[in-house]
Amino acid sequence: MPQTDILIIGSGVAGLAAASKIISKSVTILTKKDARQSNSMLAQGGIAAAMSPGDHWQEHLEDTLVAGCNLNDENAVRMMVQSGPVFLKEWMTKGFPVDRDGFNKIRLGKEGAHRKRRVLHAGGDQTGKIFTETMLKNLAPNVNILENLMAVDLIVEDGECLGAMVKDETGKNIPYFAGTTILATGGIGGLYEANSNNATISGDGIAMAYRAGCQLENLEFVQFHPTLLFTDNQGRGLISEAVRGEGAILVNENGVKIMEGVHPMKDLAPRDVVARALFSHILNGESIFLDISMIDGFEDRFPAITKLCQEFGVDLKSQRIPVAPGAHFHMGGIKTDTASQTNIKHLYAVGEVACQGVHGANRLASNSLLEGLVFGSRLGAYLENKIIDRPAIHEIPTTEAQIADLLNPQEIKHLMTEKVGIVRTGEQLLEAIHWFERYLNEDVDATALSREQLQVWNMLTAGWLIAKAALDRKESIGAHFMEDSL
């Protein structure tokens, strides 16, 4: 049976950052598809860090707390904003090519709810892809990436995590033993019809953690990005907030400015404010556009967005991009301390699947890659200096038999969009919970499911948990907006 010192489930920036700090121990990264299928690869906006002479980490901290409605863990936020510039400078020396101006100074962008220009980019709107590729190229020989292996469940005995059960492409169950296990599986965006996430992101980490007995926190806080490219009634991909940071304005089909008079920061208000404003106009039958007429050289500044628009037949000569909100980021997740430790011994969580408390009720723009970098790096450095004892290998009972088909994932996505979306009511949430429980009442052994069935089961579990958390929080705050409650 396979074993390793450190098992990392997920190949985004958070998991890679942890792996990059571990050189004296064996590290195995498991990924559901290939190593480049992650939300990190899709991140357009950049990485927020106070790195200009006119900025300070204290101001970054304050902006993060304001955006998060002060539900953040201030100690965790301080740790993130102070450490971020240090780790970023380290990666620049390893070849991370941040965008610079003609004087070789780092070009900094501005995004929603930031008072200063403090967002670093690479390749314009390809920051996540370039950063992830830089990390992959720099991995040491002790790190082994295994692709097309889907984690089924964590192996937990007597309150200790011993690794994970995984399925290969044929559906065979394989126990993978490890002295330390890190969950870095990403978020829950795939639970919604319109979302900005990679197709592999479907709440697997949350569902596995729940079944293992992990404490979960703030699951009700789902951030909807205001601007997904929207054609033929479908979300087609993210239109970065950096576009509005460069001056683009949200308008309806008649050119009326949507955010005028809604918030002092107008189009760069916190994401929950902008998303709800757009949602109300869409409910009134209006179409929403980003007016980009004021941005010179748009195609050069935003090459990935330009390519996306061309792919779906949007003519940028019109100077308008059709947009609508879509699920983007999960502020809640597996509760950890600032060392990324869960309540289960030898089990850690980093990145979007974790909840260190840095985002509070609403994530500040471009703090996601920063979070993964900082807490992944800190965890890796800690584990590099820690004695890791591998558990004894032993048989783990599994069930290979298939069970009957569950649901089509689209049914779950539709329900989450309708009942657990941007604006919620107590009645809708209760309907969603009852719907989920019709299926979750079954006693199902996850090892008995095919990979496709397992993904549906995880979606059902994560959706139910989010709906329950949303019903429990009666007041509206941040990304959780209750029109009325029971």
Side-chain angles (χ1 to χ4, degrees), residues 166-423:
V166 304
K167 280 185 185 291
D168 65 15
E169 290 181 278
T170 70
K172 180 183 178 183
N173 293 303
I174 305 168
Y176 217 111
F177 289 92
T180 293
T181 301
I182 302 172
L183 282 173
T185 55
I188 50 83
L191 297 181
Y192 291 86
E193 289 175 314
N195 70 81
S196 64
N197 288 206
N198 184 277
T200 61
I201 306 298
S202 51
D204 298 334
I206 295 293
M208 280 192 293
Y210 170 73
R211 292 194 291 266
C214 283
Q215 293 177 8
L216 305 172
E217 188 172 54
N218 291 349
L219 297 187
E220 64 273 26
F221 296 124
V222 179
Q223 184 176 82
F224 290 82
H225 199 287
T227 54
L228 267 60
L229 178 64
F230 197 73
T231 64
D232 299 324
N233 290 316
Q234 293 186 58
R236 303 295 192 177
L238 187 66
I239 304 297
S240 169
E241 197 159 294
V243 177
R244 280 175 282 137
E246 294 303 312
I249 298 171
L250 290 158
V251 299
N252 67 9
E253 61 265 39
N254 298 318
V256 176
K257 296 176 182 178
I258 300 295
M259 295 305 296
E260 198 72 39
V262 174
H263 189 278
M265 297 186 78
K266 298 182 181 179
D267 295 84
L268 290 177
R271 288 176 175 173
D272 62 303
V273 176
V274 182
R276 283 195 299 274
L278 299 193
F279 182 69
S280 66
H281 282 268
I282 291 169
L283 283 181
N284 288 333
E286 299 175 39
S287 296
I288 308 297
F289 300 86
L290 263 179
D291 177 356
I292 60 170
S293 60
M294 65 296 295
I295 303 177
D296 295 329
F298 183 90
E299 291 85 350
D300 294 330
R301 175 67 182 82
F302 300 104
I305 293 173
T306 298
K307 184 179 178 182
L308 179 69
C309 289
Q310 291 170 343
E311 182 181 350
F312 291 101
V314 175
D315 183 7
L316 291 179
K317 292 179 182 178
S318 70
Q319 302 290 290
R320 285 187 173 189
I321 300 174
V323 295
H328 184 54
F329 188 87
H330 197 199
M331 278 72 71
I334 302 164
K335 185 177 182 178
T336 73
D337 59 19
T338 52
S340 300
Q341 171 75 59
T342 72
N343 62 300
I344 295 176
K345 197 173 181 181
H346 308 312
L347 177 66
Y348 300 82
V350 288
E352 191 175 348
V353 75
C355 184
Q356 275 107 356
V358 292
H359 304 303
N362 188 32
R363 176 173 67 83
L364 180 67
S366 288
N367 269 356
S368 54
L369 289 177
L370 180 69
E371 175 198 14
L373 168 64
V374 169
F375 289 100
S377 298
R378 287 175 55 86
L379 174 58
Y382 167 72
L383 294 175
E384 168 64 14
N385 295 306
K386 186 176 186 292
I387 296 173
I388 305 291
D389 295 319
R390 294 186 182 184
I393 293 176
H394 54 279
E395 290 291 332
I396 302 292
T398 65
T399 306
E400 299 288 351
Q402 301 273 326
I403 69 164
D405 285 339
L406 290 165
L407 291 167
N408 186 310
Q410 289 304 127
E411 295 179 69
I412 301 170
K413 293 183 179 193
H414 183 71
L415 179 95
M416 288 294 289
T417 302
E418 290 273 306
K419 310 291 186 186
V420 199
I422 296 173
V423 175

